[in-house]
Amino acid sequence: MDVLNGKKDYTMADRDELSDKEVEELKSRGIDFSDIPELTPDYLETLQRVVPRDYYKVVPVKKAISIKLDADVLEYFKAKGKGYQTRINKVLRQEMLRETAPSYGKENLSSKREEDS
């Protein structure tokens, strides 16, 4: 029960439990916009669209494999603590991205070597 106006406050969880009378009461209440500033055209021109980066974050599918690593390499990553497999994956991903990144404005060294032969 709302202490201020004597009405019950409803949550989304309560929506299935409302009677027809209670639903009509909620619809007739209206919305109090008195504490919201007016959105004037001048104010709207200052707004910029913001999209959270996490919204577009793509999480690659993980696949379980068996891999043989040099013992010292494995110990190096394990010595840094929990999450060593994630760190190994991160290093591999960085190398993959480095190799597959476009080489804008850079000479292709492999084709230059072939020409020199």
Side-chain angles (χ1 to χ4, degrees), residues 21-91:
K21 181 181 175 186
E22 290 170 322
V23 170
E24 288 305 316
E25 177 196 334
L26 286 173
K27 287 181 180 179
S28 67
R29 267 200 227 175
I31 300 173
D32 178 15
F33 294 106
S34 63
D35 61 341
I36 301 173
E38 184 178 348
L39 298 177
T40 62
D42 292 335
Y43 178 74
L44 291 175
E45 287 179 12
T46 66
L47 298 179
Q48 295 178 5
R49 182 182 173 137
V50 177
V51 179
R53 291 182 185 204
D54 290 342
Y55 180 78
Y56 291 108
K57 185 177 181 181
V58 176
V59 179
V61 175
K62 302 289 185 186
K63 188 170 184 179
I65 64 163
S66 174
I67 185 172
K68 292 186 177 189
L69 301 172
D70 294 336
D72 58 337
V73 171
L74 182 59
E75 288 306 314
Y76 170 79
F77 282 98
K78 278 187 166 184
K80 291 186 171 193
K82 189 175 177 180
Y84 71 93
Q85 292 175 331
T86 302
R87 285 191 297 279
I88 292 171
N89 188 70
K90 184 177 179 182
V91 169

Side-chain angles (χ1 to χ4, degrees), residues 103 106-116:
S103 56
K106 296 179 183 176
E107 279 188 45
N108 188 346
L109 296 177
S110 62
S111 64
K112 188 175 181 180
R113 287 184 197 135
E114 291 172 6
E115 292 173 4
D116 293 339

